[in-house]
Amino acid sequence: MKISSERLKKYEGMKRDFSEEEYINLQPIQRGGVLTEEARRALIEFGDGYSVCDWCPPKTARLDMIDDPPIHQFYADLAEFLGMDLARIVTRCREAKFIAFKMLGKAGDYAIIDSTAHYSSYISAELADLRVKEVPNTGAPEYRIDPELYASKIEEVKKETGRLPAALLLTHVDYLYGNLNDAKAVGKIAEEYKVPFILNCAYSAGIMPIDGKEVGADVITSSGHKSWAACAPTGILALRNSLGEKVLAKPKIEGDLTKRKFVSKELGLLGCTVAGAPLVTLMASFPEVVRRVERWGEELEKIRFLVKEMERIEGVRQIGMRPKMHTLTHLETDPFFKASETHKRKGYFLYDELRARKIVGIQPGLTKHFKLNTYGLTWDQVKYVKDAFLEIASKYGMKVN
Amino acid sequence: MALLPDSKEILNEMLRVQQVLRKTSPNHALSEADRKAVEVSLDRAERAVALMRKEVR
């Protein structure tokens, strides 16, 4: 089929509406993935297709064995940085969770997951033929996960099935409230019951310090484009040596005619994974990521400052655990909702007001409550955001204390 | 031919300027250090452009 040149014009000179150079973007999933200068350079250098395969195959024909660019070394450094033994790059955090579930469980097994987990944790389990048992949260306003409830859920599974669950999964920092969950406590329970513990660090590893060994994680999953200043798609799967053989098992299949075997590949990964620019951006940003997690304390100061200032607007309150232990933040903003009721643009007035001030990332139409993330913004930018919200509040007659 | 290294130099310097714009958005109130960094980058890029022009003529 031919596509008309008129139609193809759509793909010429594509531009982002909201570049970081022009706007402050508070979109919760985007802050930790903003590229470093080095990554932008690497992106141009390695943008062509299989750009990391110039020196492939290495001795062992597998992505993680390539020495130039230094992928082999990077995987070792990445594992060490996370306090783990092995690391692999996959396409997304959800693939990492799926691989872990698939390789650790048998069809019909249970995975125990926290009730603030992302939907992708659930469907990763489903695709791996697992069932889930949810650990409840405390509900409004904290939505806290009590780690001790993992033990009672394990008992529940034992009673129901006569065997242990395939894995425990804890969302280290959840996507809704930005709560930092107690990984160490869950790690202890996992150790007691000898059940593999998967810590989903999509929102934490890469922006804050994580030590898998210290918290007793058997598997760490993370997202390069969410928290490691890398392009999508990049996911991280890090493991303890004890699970290496199981999770990174080799394929056994053999061609019935050709007798071909693929024993150097890793089954769960379907062989080589991210063989190009996204992986290289992850590597190029790695030195800065190693440095930036040390500045996590300052990032917390910034979000706590913003929350304090936002709560000066009467009726605005932060929900989730306090004080903020993560920059992803959920605010209840009733006075903005009240203002929207009489505005001709209804809920979109807030988006319009913010956009006029070159601030984006709050979901258009939302005024009753919304999420934002300040990660990586400078103090000047955080103060600019604060001024913008207070100015809008005053403009619409809200009481600012 | 210096075309290749000079074109890379220009790209590099523009990426540097872009980083300054990113951390100062949206009002771009540059600090003294930012202003200096941008000037250094523009000088380097200008020199590289001049060399490239010479090469292609």
Side-chain angles (χ1 to χ4, degrees), chain A residues 249-282:
Chain A
K250 304 291 190 297
K252 295 187 190 84
I253 201 161
E254 186 182 303
D256 66 333
L257 293 177
T258 61
K259 302 293 171 203
R260 289 172 68 202
K261 287 178 170 178
F262 313 94
V263 291
S264 66
K265 304 297 183 192
E266 289 164 336
L267 178 63
L269 277 64
L270 300 176
C272 297
T273 55
V274 187
L279 169 60
V280 179
T281 59
L282 182 69

Side-chain angles (χ1 to χ4, degrees), chain A residues 20-21 37 40-41 381, chain B residues 12 16 18 22 25 28:
Chain A
E20 289 283 316
E21 295 91 285
E37 184 183 332
R40 295 186 82 77
R41 197 165 291 134
Q381 289 172 322
Chain B
N12 270 333
R16 273 193 192 124
Q18 190 186 46
R22 289 180 143 222
S25 67
H28 301 126

Side-chain angles (χ1 to χ4, degrees), chain A residues 20-24 34-35 37 40-41 44-45 357-358 378 381 384, chain B residues 8 11-13 15-16 18-19 21-29:
Chain A
E20 289 283 316
E21 295 91 285
E22 210 181 335
Y23 286 87
I24 293 178
V34 173
L35 294 191
E37 184 183 332
R40 295 186 82 77
R41 197 165 291 134
I44 294 166
E45 186 75 19
R357 291 164 177 81
K358 301 268 185 191
T378 64
Q381 289 172 322
Y384 181 92
Chain B
K8 286 201 174 186
L11 207 55
N12 270 333
E13 297 308 329
L15 284 172
R16 273 193 192 124
Q18 190 186 46
Q19 285 305 111
L21 294 176
R22 289 180 143 222
K23 72 171 187 167
T24 56
S25 67
N27 51 21
H28 301 126

